[in-house]
Amino acid sequence: MSEPLPGMGLFAPHTPVEPRPSSVVILYRRAHSGVEVFWVKRERALTFAGGFQAFPGGKLDKDDHEVPVQGAQGEEAALRSAAARELFEEAGVLVAEGASALSPETLEEGRAALLAGTAKWSEWLVRHALSLRAEDLKPAGRWVTPPAIPVRFDTRFYLVELPEGAAASIIPGELTEGAWIRPEDALSRWSDGTALLHPPAQHALQVLSEFTDEADARAKLCTPPYCPGFVAQRIEFQRGVRVVALETPTLPPATHTNAYVLGTGDLLIVDPGSADVKQYAKLLSLVAGLKAEGARPVAVVLTHHHGDHVGGAFAVKERLGIPLWCHARTADRLDFTVERLLEDGEVLNLDGPMVQRWHVLHTPGHARGHLCLVDSRSKAAIVGDMVASVGSIVIDPPEGNMVEYLSQLKRLRDWPVTTLYPAHGSPVPDGPGKLNEYLRHRAQREALILEAVPASGATLAEVVATAYADTPPLLHPVAERSALASLEKLVAEGRVREESFTWFRVGVG
């Protein structure tokens, strides 16, 4: 992404999408040392929470309203129906009166039919004389996806103890893993960065790691901290990597720039990009809460100089009384003081309960002073505008350089990194896969651009009209910038020449 290009006009304020009703089941069983929970891993390509660890669940279906539930009415009944259905489909555990009378073969056939869409949940329950009871699906909290996320859910959580004789398993598809795990071990993986968690799952695991009895667990599950209006105010996908999405004037379809707060004691505040006090106040509120718990802000760090990354930098550093750090090529584009110039190869050490060491990588291409930070322990990377999980990255000459950008994509891939934390959109669990995807896409686009340059010559607009025929014309002014960067690369390689703003294919008769 990038700051808006000249002539693009003002962007309308962000309007959050309406959250869709959904249900999730926290399935647990008793073990010698407490309890174990059944967690699943969502397939990486899924739009929502791809690659994250979660619990069985999904959105409310129209048919869920047709299922009677003893002890519940209306939406409460439908949400419990959805919870029971999703638990059966995703984990193979049927929580219904009469379920123990069904053979394993009947359960397997029913589960497969529901997943394939060849059976209706309401009719299948009636056919096998099964009924749902509200008491079997005990309320365990409510969470609403934050407004910045393009796909949102209003989710009811239910706590279910594994029925006697039942066994949990997944069918590969939307889920790639399913296993029983002690909550303490799950939290260790979250702490190490090998398991990404959204706030509801993190909270549930923390509660169940201290399990004494079901009533106590449910009370704690239903009262999470820092969650006004059921919306999480603390989002920490892995320990010591917190994100606050700030609304900024960035290129659509993105609407926000992610500010990151790194560390478990010493804190770095990365890319406070909004100049709107209502936006950066959210970031300051998080930092104030962490300070009250003993944390210490050390510095504001900028990945690069674009306005949607630096808008609130001066205000945040002044409010917190801390210095600002960035690369020299970022500093010379700012109109306020920078206290420290960061260079490639430096390591930023953050003390705390879990020490972090962030390697500084100078990654020009999108911007001359662009930096990435890579955690030495988990290999997670704060990548600014190197990649995005919503929208695309613009390479805008002369600030942008396609040769450098592609080189730095390869460098990140080969570090190697794990999870990518971009400035725009959600985390990318498969960092190398995403970087390879970007490299393939740029190579494919470059081939189209080269093909669009005839020996007789073409203007930039003519090249874009052909090479970006799959892109809406409204976005062609943006596409022109990256196309120009590719043409400059082709000129440097001797495959294209430029004369009077016209480009000619070399070596074509």
Side-chain angles (χ1 to χ4, degrees), residues 360-374:
V360 177
L361 276 62
H362 180 213
T363 53
H366 175 70
R368 294 180 184 176
H370 197 286
L371 296 176
C372 292
L373 303 177
V374 181

Side-chain angles (χ1 to χ4, degrees), residues 113-194:
L114 290 168
L115 286 169
T118 57
K120 286 183 67 175
W121 173 236
S122 57
E123 295 173 354
W124 189 81
L125 290 171
V126 170
R127 186 182 315 130
H128 294 285
L130 301 168
S131 59
L132 303 184
R133 301 178 299 188
E135 65 190 62
D136 294 331
L137 297 139
K138 298 179 173 62
R142 178 181 180 183
W143 296 77
V144 178
T145 310
I149 309 300
V151 179
R152 303 181 67 211
F153 295 96
D154 181 350
T155 305
R156 301 313 204 282
F157 281 70
Y158 298 94
L159 188 63
V160 172
E161 185 171 4
L162 182 71
E164 186 176 351
S169 64
I170 68 157
I171 296 176
E174 289 192 0
L175 305 178
T176 59
E177 296 176 17
W180 290 99
I181 189 169
R182 295 192 319 142
E184 302 94 309
D185 294 335
L187 290 171
S188 291
R189 288 191 53 192
W190 167 76
S191 186
D192 289 340
T194 57

